[in-house]
Amino acid sequence: MKIRTRYAPSPTGRMHVGNLRTALYEWLIARHEGGDYILRIEDTDQERFVEGATEIIYRTLQAAGMDHDEGPDVGGDFGPYVQSERVKSGIYLEYAKKLIDKGEAYYCFCTQERLNSLKQNIDGKEIMVYDKHCLSIDPAEAQRRVDAGEPYVIRQNNPREGTTSFTDVLYGEISVDNVELDDMILIKSDGYPTYNFANVVDDHLMGITHVVRGNEYISSTPKYNRLYEAFGWEIPQYIHLPLITDSEHKKLSKRAGDTSFEDLVEHGYLSECVVNFVALLGWSPEDNKEIMSLQELVEKFDYHRISRSPAVFDYQKLKWMNGEYLKAMDPDRFYQIAESFIKETLPGLTEAQYRKVSAMVQSRVELPQEIPDMIDFFRALPEYDTALYCHKKMKTDEASSRQVLQEILPFLEGLDDYSNDPVYAAISGWIADKGYKNGYVLWPLRIALSGQATTPCGATEILELLGKEESLSRIRKGVEMLGG
C-alpha cells in the first residue's frame, strides 16, 4: 500500500511552529516511505478566514523546502483541494444524508436558546452536552421541516453506552467511554460542514493512509472513527504529536510572539535551521545527530521514534543552531545576509574591507542582527573601564598594560604598512625580541583598540581596519587612561 499523507491547514494567518511541525512530519513520512504528500486547504470556517493566509501557506511550505504532489496549485486526481470548492459540489451534505439513512446521524432543529439551557459547569468549564432531543423526531416529520426551510444542523448519532477504542502509533490502544462522545455537528446551519466531518470525508476520498496531528485531537478521534465505521471505510493510522511548550512548560501560544515560521525568519533565523530545529521537537534520529539537512532528515526520519513527552521550544538552542548554520555557510552567501548590517554600521569602508568584516563575524554571530553591536567599536571607541586590562590568564594588570602600550607605541608609529599580515609579522618579531608572551602584549593592545573584552577578530586585524592614525590615537588614549 502506498503511503499518502496530507497537510490540511486552515488559512487563518501565519503558520505557527506547531502547524509547521505537523506539516513537516507528514512530509517526512511521505518522502521517507516513497509516498504522496497532499496539500488541502480547509477553509470552511469562514469566521476565522484571513485574507492572504492561503498565500502564506504556499510561501511557507516553499521556503521550508516542502513540495507537495497534489494540491490546489498543482492539481491531482482527487480535487478540488480547497474545501469551500468541495462544498459547492454538495459532497458533504450528500454523505451526511447517507448517515441519516443509516441512523448514524439526524436533523436537529434546536434553537440557540434551548442549547444554552443545556450548558453545564464541569471542572470550572462551561460545556454543552446535547441531550439527543431531536433524535426522537419522526424522519418524515424532520424531512418536512427541512423542506419547509426551517433552520437545522445535522448531528452525529453516538451511543451513550459501551466504549469506543482506537490505536495510535505512539500511544497504543486508547478507549473512551461512549457517554463522553457528544453528538457533534456534521453540517452547520449555513450548509457548511464542520472541520471534523469534512476532515473525515476528505481523508477517505483522497486515500489518506496516515493522519498526523496534535494530541489535543485524541479525544475527538473516537467520533471520527465512528464515522469511518458507519460508512464502512478503512480507518487510517493515527500519529498524535506531543504538545510543544515554552521554557516554563506551558503550551506555546501564538500570542507569545515569534512563534510562526515567518516571525522567526524575519528575526534572522535561517529557514533551513528552523526546519531542522522543528524536526527535533518531539523526534530524534537513532544516532542523535542534531544538525541535519532536509535530505538527511528524509533519510533518517522514522515516525516510530516520535516521543510522547512534551517538546520544549528552547530559543537558546535554536539560536545556537542558527549560529552553527551561519558558520558552515558559504562566505559569499553569508556576506549577502550580513552586508546591510555591516554597511549601515560602518559606512565608508572599501568593498574588500566590508568582506573582511563579514569574514570576521561569520564564525561568531548567531543572529545577523547581532552584527552591529559586535562591530560598532570600529566606528567609535566606546567608553570602557580600565579593569578590562586585567586578565589573570594573560598575566596582565593595569600597570603592566600601561608599560606594554608605552613600549609598543613608538614601534607602531614607525610602521607604514598596517595590513594584517605585515603588521602581525612585525608585532610578533617585536614581542619575541622583548621576550614577552603573545597574550601579555596582544591583550592590552586589543583592549586599547576596541574598548571591549570580546571582539570578532584579533588586535592586528583591528589595526588593519582602523588604519594607522585611528589606531595610534586609541592606543595613546589607553596609555592616558592607565595613568601614563
Side-chain angles (χ1 to χ4, degrees):
M1 176 185 68
K2 190 175 188 179
I3 283 182
R4 286 173 61 84
T5 65
R6 50 75 173 157
Y7 177 50
S10 298
T12 58
R14 290 189 165 190
M15 193 183 295
H16 183 262
V17 292
N19 293 330
L20 178 64
R21 183 183 64 173
T22 298
L24 177 61
Y25 282 10
E26 289 172 314
W27 185 84
L28 290 171
I29 290 171
R31 294 292 172 258
H32 181 80
E33 302 288 346
D36 293 329
Y37 182 66
I38 294 91
L39 173 63
R40 186 174 73 227
I41 304 298
E42 300 196 338
D43 61 345
T44 54
D45 190 342
Q46 296 296 294
E47 291 182 2
R48 297 178 63 229
F49 178 82
V50 173
E51 194 67 39
T54 301
E55 288 67 33
I56 291 175
I57 293 168
Y58 292 136
R59 193 164 64 232
T60 300
L61 291 177
Q62 182 179 25
M66 290 185 277
D67 58 322
H68 46 279
D69 303 292
E70 301 170 26
D73 54 336
V74 297
D77 297 333
F78 301 92
Y81 293 90
V82 177
Q83 279 191 341
S84 59
E85 295 177 14
R86 297 172 72 81
V87 169
K88 294 173 184 176
S89 70
I91 189 170
Y92 304 112
L93 185 58
E94 174 190 340
Y95 277 97
K97 288 181 176 179
K98 288 182 179 180
L99 290 177
I100 291 176
D101 292 341
K102 291 171 173 279
E104 299 287 350
Y106 57 95
Y107 291 110
C108 174
F109 303 94
C110 289
T111 63
Q112 190 60 52
E113 182 180 9
R114 182 176 190 282
L115 295 176
N116 289 339
S117 71
L118 299 176
K119 290 181 179 178
Q120 304 175 29
N121 193 295
I122 301 176
D123 295 330
K125 293 182 180 180
E126 196 172 55
I127 298 173
M128 196 283 289
V129 179
Y130 189 64
D131 59 359
K132 291 183 177 289
H133 175 75
C134 290
L135 179 62
S136 61
I137 299 174
D138 181 79
E141 172 63 13
Q143 189 60 55
R144 184 193 65 74
R145 294 171 68 174
V146 169
D147 294 341
E150 186 173 342
Y152 70 89
V153 299
I154 296 178
R155 289 184 180 275
Q156 183 180 14
N157 183 18
N158 283 315
R160 287 287 183 262
E161 298 177 351
T163 60
T164 297
S165 302
F166 70 96
T167 301
D168 179 85
V169 170
L170 306 182
Y171 293 88
E173 184 169 323
I174 297 173
S175 294
V176 176
D177 289 333
N178 288 337
V179 71
E180 298 179 18
L181 305 184
D182 187 32
D183 283 2
M184 67 176 180
I185 295 174
L186 307 180
I187 301 293
K188 296 179 288 185
S189 58
D190 60 5
Y192 271 72
T194 57
Y195 165 84
N196 296 317
F197 185 54
N199 204 266
V200 168
V201 172
D202 289 343
D203 280 350
H204 169 72
L205 295 180
M206 293 181 181
I208 303 304
T209 61
H210 291 63
V211 172
V212 182
R213 58 190 177 212
N215 62 12
E216 66 268 24
Y217 288 100
I218 285 180
S219 61
S220 300
T221 300
K223 289 184 279 190
Y224 298 161
N225 283 2
R226 290 197 59 79
L227 291 173
Y228 279 105
E229 291 168 351
F231 284 121
W233 295 341
E234 185 174 351
I235 296 173
Q237 285 198 40
Y238 293 112
I239 305 167
H240 287 94
L241 303 179
L243 192 68
I244 300 177
T245 72
D246 60 20
S247 58
E248 297 179 352
H249 303 287
K250 297 178 181 177
K251 183 178 179 181
L252 194 67
S253 168
K254 291 183 180 180
R255 292 181 292 276
D258 297 346
T259 56
S260 81
F261 176 83
E262 290 193 334
D263 288 336
L264 293 169
V265 171
E266 286 173 2
H267 281 76
Y269 295 98
L270 299 167
S271 58
E272 57 266 45
C273 171
V274 175
V275 170
N276 187 165
F277 176 78
V278 168
L280 298 175
L281 291 176
W283 171 84
S284 62
E286 194 169 357
D287 59 6
N288 289 316
K289 186 177 181 181
E290 291 193 304
I291 307 296
M292 291 171 280
S293 67
L294 199 57
Q295 185 54 43
E296 285 181 291
L297 287 171
V298 169
E299 292 168 0
K300 294 175 180 288
F301 195 79
D302 177 0
Y303 62 85
H304 296 92
R305 289 186 57 82
I306 297 173
S307 172
R308 290 184 291 178
S309 302
V312 177
F313 193 96
D314 185 344
Y315 280 97
Q316 287 303 116
K317 182 173 182 179
L318 174 60
K319 193 176 177 184
W320 164 81
M321 186 177 283
N322 204 61
E324 295 300 302
Y325 270 87
L326 291 173
K327 286 178 191 175
M329 187 176 286
D330 176 81
D332 287 336
R333 185 187 170 201
F334 178 80
Y335 182 62
Q336 290 176 356
I337 294 171
E339 183 178 10
S340 63
F341 294 98
I342 297 172
K343 289 185 174 180
E344 288 173 12
T345 309
L346 304 174
L349 300 184
T350 66
E351 187 67 16
Q353 287 175 318
Y354 283 131
R355 287 189 174 272
K356 277 184 178 292
V357 175
S358 178
M360 289 175 187
V361 300
Q362 182 171 359
S363 63
R364 293 170 171 83
V365 71
E366 293 181 322
L367 290 170
Q369 57 265 40
E370 295 172 345
I371 293 174
D373 286 343
M374 194 174 287
I375 64 174
D376 190 56
F377 73 89
F378 283 117
R379 182 185 58 80
L381 184 66
E383 294 293 326
Y384 66 94
D385 192 321
T386 54
L388 286 178
Y389 285 101
C390 304
H391 195 296
K392 188 175 181 180
K393 184 177 179 181
M394 303 300 179
K395 298 182 179 179
T396 62
D397 54 26
E398 293 186 23
S400 65
S401 296
R402 182 181 67 248
Q403 177 191 339
V404 164
L405 294 179
Q406 286 176 323
E407 286 183 12
I408 201 170
L409 185 57
F411 175 77
L412 293 174
E413 289 173 335
L415 296 179
D416 293 320
D417 190 350
Y418 268 54
S419 300
N420 181 57
D421 291 344
V423 80
Y424 181 82
I427 291 175
S428 296
W430 184 88
I431 291 172
D433 289 343
K434 290 286 187 179
Y436 292 142
K437 297 287 187 181
N438 280 351
Y440 186 76
V441 174
L442 294 177
W443 178 262
L445 185 59
R446 185 155 66 90
I447 297 299
L449 292 168
S450 68
Q452 50 194 47
T454 58
T455 59
C457 56
T460 58
E461 293 171 297
I462 299 173
L463 285 167
E464 177 181 25
L465 280 169
L466 291 178
K468 183 174 182 177
E469 184 179 344
E470 178 65 17
S471 295
L472 294 176
S473 173
R474 293 188 180 194
I475 295 170
R476 292 186 187 108
K477 180 176 181 181
V479 172
E480 181 183 340
M481 289 175 64
L482 290 166

